[in-house]
Amino acid sequence: MEKKTTERRVLLTGATGYVGGRLLKVLQREGVPLRCLARRPRHLEGKTGPDTEVVYGDLLEPESLAPALEGIHTAYYLVHSMGDSETFEEAERRGATNFARAAREAGVRRIVYLGGLGDEQRELSAHLRSRQAVGEILRESEVQTLEFRASIVIGSGSLSFEMIRDLVEKLPVMITPRWVSVAAQPIAIRDLLAYLRGALTLEVEGSPVIEIGGADQVTYGELMREYARQRGLRRWMIQVPVLTPRLSSLWLALVTPLYARVGRKLINSIRHPTVVRDDLALQLFDIRPMDHRQALARALRNEDRKFAATRWSDAMSAGGKTPNWGGVRFGKRLVDSRTVRVPLEPAEAFRPIRRIGGRNGWYYANFLWRLRGFIDLLVGGIGMRRGRHSPEELSVGEPLDWWRIEAYQPDRMLRLAAEMKVPGRAWLQFEVTPDEDGSVIRQTAEFDPVGLSGLAYWYLIYPLHSLIFSRMLRGIGRAAVEDASPREPDSGDAPSADPVAEAGR
């Protein structure tokens, strides 16, 4: 009888990477006894639970692998090079050979490896050729090896998704090379993780190669068109035969987060069809992968959740100043964040935020807010006519002028999603945190532009927004102080110094 998974210790390599980092969370959530191998263990600080071991190990240092593999039942091999020098193929072979030998000597029962799809009978790129060579080395190790071969991975933060996103968002007209017409079978990160997790308990003989992919075969061009459709963008693609992989990679480097060397390796790989030709995965696993439309929609939703959960105080200037003109770019979003300090407890500092909008107004230039609402009505929007349900109470889902309350934590955080007519999506968030001298109020405006019109909108109105947001934050701080310290009658002639006069600049 199979032992329970929780009785088997698992080694995870590549936990600092995209797939490995996601799998780390899955295994920890399920209570799998886990050990992580890392060349830089400090990079996993804060990412592992109290029961997860983190040990040093380098695949090119054979002596470091034996301690890491001691007592391990299943080892995940999720290490791969995209950005190293041109000698990466030899380094990957040596690393795989060292790992295979150490796993055999340590008595490891199973290796789970993630490689790449590609027809072995055809000429492959160095990237795909190396991945398949690593799989062969591991399969020949005398340790049972499950080699998964996948096409491109679609998920928030994945390399392929970021490339598609940035190309479609930034280029209304794309001069595209031939590789956008090559067939692929993209797999959603959720389905990929389900296969990798299922490998822990799968009963199978030998060391099979298991080809995995999504429910349909598409081209990169079709993926970009579907992304544009889901984002409500109109895009035109003109295919030309003259863009070499090098020129294509330089083109990618100009408009995406990829730098040229990684882009060239990626393009060299996607020039080859990467489709599933063997249905063994459907026979072995009770997993029915989603199609590319579902995968893209899920990636977009998860990207929103991940972004919303980010604390901007970890990335912005502690002094509350925006580091560069026009806000800071996080992925495809533009962010303006600033702070003010007040000598009050968080509950007192949050009081004006709880009352914001409606008849109470926005603490600065209310006539400009009303003018913007009138303009919104003229173009078919909702304007500011909805007000708010209660002057004191807030509830998630309620309207607030042209915003809707998306998240609310009393005395701590209020997040508003805009429902006015704008070429994109917008949010306004307020957070209050305790400080040595009282509390810090952070105000963050976020904008997710749609196409070039969205970018033009942000940068054209940014000077006005910067003025309004900074003065509004100062008004909130001043209102908090005044509410907490009501003026006494006949208290004297001279006004006291404004404790927030210099904030938010």
Side-chain angles (χ1 to χ4, degrees):
M1 178 180 291
E2 289 276 350
K3 292 183 179 180
K4 294 181 180 180
T5 304
T6 53
E7 297 176 356
R8 298 173 170 181
R9 183 161 295 279
V10 171
L11 179 74
L12 178 61
T13 67
T16 57
Y18 178 70
V19 175
R22 296 292 186 95
L23 183 60
L24 171 65
K25 294 180 180 179
V26 171
L27 298 178
Q28 288 187 143
R29 187 165 57 244
E30 297 188 8
V32 174
L34 194 60
R35 180 184 298 157
C36 294
L37 175 77
R39 283 190 300 172
R40 300 177 180 87
R42 67 180 182 277
H43 288 184
L44 287 173
E45 290 179 3
K47 298 179 181 179
T48 57
D51 298 326
T52 298
E53 293 182 70
V54 179
V55 298
Y56 169 80
D58 189 325
L59 298 178
L60 300 182
E61 298 177 6
E63 65 278 4
S64 70
L65 300 178
L69 288 162
E70 183 179 355
I72 294 297
H73 179 278
T74 299
Y76 283 98
Y77 194 89
L78 303 180
V79 181
H80 185 65
S81 168
M82 278 291 278
D84 288 351
S85 67
E86 296 301 326
T87 62
F88 78 94
E89 286 186 82
E90 175 57 29
E92 288 195 334
R93 285 180 170 84
R94 285 197 294 123
T97 300
N98 292 338
F99 190 85
R101 182 184 301 115
R104 182 180 65 248
E105 293 174 354
V108 173
R109 301 291 297 278
R110 176 175 289 181
I111 296 173
V112 181
Y113 170 61
L114 178 61
L117 280 171
D119 189 346
E120 299 174 22
Q121 306 303 316
R122 306 175 71 171
E123 182 181 356
L124 297 176
S125 69
H127 171 62
L128 287 177
R129 187 171 63 240
S130 179
R131 301 199 92 171
Q132 296 191 359
V134 167
E136 184 177 356
I137 291 170
L138 296 175
R139 291 198 309 274
E140 293 176 349
S141 65
E142 300 179 15
V143 177
Q144 183 188 44
T145 298
L146 305 187
E147 179 184 351
F148 290 99
R149 290 185 179 177
S151 183
I152 57 179
V153 179
I154 301 297
S156 58
S158 75
L159 185 65
S160 299
F161 177 75
E162 288 198 354
M163 184 185 77
I164 292 167
R165 181 194 66 194
D166 275 61
L167 287 173
V168 177
E169 292 285 346
K170 295 177 181 177
L171 300 178
V173 179
M174 284 178 264
I175 308 299
T176 59
R178 285 178 295 182
W179 53 261
V180 301
S181 299
V182 174
Q185 197 157 344
I187 185 169
I189 182 63
R190 185 190 69 173
D191 294 328
L192 174 58
L193 294 174
Y195 281 118
L196 293 173
R197 171 61 184 87
L200 280 181
T201 54
L202 180 68
E203 296 183 6
V204 66
E205 298 294 327
S207 295
V209 173
I210 307 170
E211 298 183 345
I212 56 176
D216 52 2
Q217 297 180 7
V218 293
T219 66
Y220 259 91
E222 290 170 326
L223 282 170
M224 289 190 281
R225 291 187 185 94
E226 177 59 24
Y227 180 95
R229 186 192 69 80
Q230 294 193 23
R231 287 281 286 152
L233 300 169
R234 294 174 63 87
R235 293 295 181 260
W236 291 267
M237 286 184 280
I238 303 171
Q239 187 171 322
V240 296
V242 295
L243 284 179
T244 66
R246 179 174 179 79
L247 289 176
S248 292
S249 67
L250 293 173
W251 170 62
L252 284 178
L254 289 174
V255 294
T256 75
L258 305 178
Y259 60 94
R261 188 166 61 195
V262 170
R264 185 157 65 250
K265 290 181 179 179
L266 180 63
I267 291 168
N268 275 326
S269 297
I270 63 181
R271 288 188 304 132
H272 306 281
T274 53
V275 297
V276 174
R277 296 165 295 148
D278 185 335
D279 66 353
L280 180 61
L282 298 180
Q283 299 174 35
L284 295 177
F285 296 89
D286 187 23
I287 297 171
R288 295 299 175 263
M290 63 183 72
D291 61 28
H292 76 285
R293 294 181 179 86
Q294 295 169 305
L296 285 171
R298 184 178 177 85
L300 284 167
R301 289 196 304 272
N302 288 340
E303 186 182 45
D304 286 344
R305 292 194 197 102
K306 182 178 179 181
F307 190 91
T310 301
R311 289 188 58 83
W312 296 111
S313 54
D314 295 335
M316 294 293 183
S317 167
K321 297 180 180 180
T322 304
N324 61 310
W325 186 87
V328 180
R329 180 177 289 278
F330 286 85
K332 62 186 173 63
R333 299 207 183 180
L334 294 153
V335 178
D336 177 282
S337 189
R338 55 191 75 233
T339 62
V340 64
R341 286 179 169 83
V342 291
L344 303 171
E345 294 297 317
E348 295 175 311
F350 195 84
R351 188 176 295 126
I353 297 169
R354 192 178 71 240
R355 298 171 176 170
I356 202 166
R359 292 182 179 275
N360 196 49
W362 293 83
Y363 298 101
Y364 178 73
N366 283 324
F367 72 96
L368 290 178
W369 288 85
R370 290 192 291 270
L371 177 61
R372 178 63 177 87
F374 178 71
I375 294 172
D376 192 54
L377 284 173
L378 291 180
V379 297
I382 58 175
M384 296 182 69
R385 56 189 172 182
R386 298 184 305 185
R388 51 179 291 167
H389 288 178
S390 166
E392 289 284 345
E393 302 300 326
L394 298 172
S395 296
V396 173
E398 288 184 352
L400 198 164
D401 290 342
W402 63 51
W403 308 89
R404 190 167 296 275
I405 301 173
E406 188 174 84
Y408 175 54
Q409 299 174 27
D411 299 332
R412 182 181 173 191
M413 186 270 289
L414 171 66
R415 182 174 175 84
L416 305 173
E419 294 187 338
M420 79 281 266
K421 293 278 188 179
V422 289
R425 298 179 296 170
W427 295 264
L428 183 61
Q429 181 165 306
F430 300 93
E431 293 176 277
V432 176
T433 55
D435 185 66
E436 292 181 357
D437 301 319
S439 298
V440 175
I441 304 173
R442 179 172 290 277
Q443 172 189 276
T444 302
E446 307 162 15
F447 187 62
D448 179 7
V450 172
L452 294 179
S453 61
L455 288 172
Y457 171 83
W458 172 269
Y459 286 111
L460 285 173
I461 67 171
Y462 183 79
L464 180 60
H465 270 186
S466 181
L467 172 67
I468 291 175
F469 288 147
S470 63
R471 299 294 178 88
M472 178 172 66
L473 180 60
R474 289 168 58 185
I476 290 172
R478 187 177 297 111
V481 172
E482 290 175 354
D483 282 353
S485 305
R487 183 183 297 274
E488 295 287 342
D490 301 322
S491 57
D493 298 328
S496 61
D498 185 349
V500 294
E502 297 302 315
R505 289 185 179 175

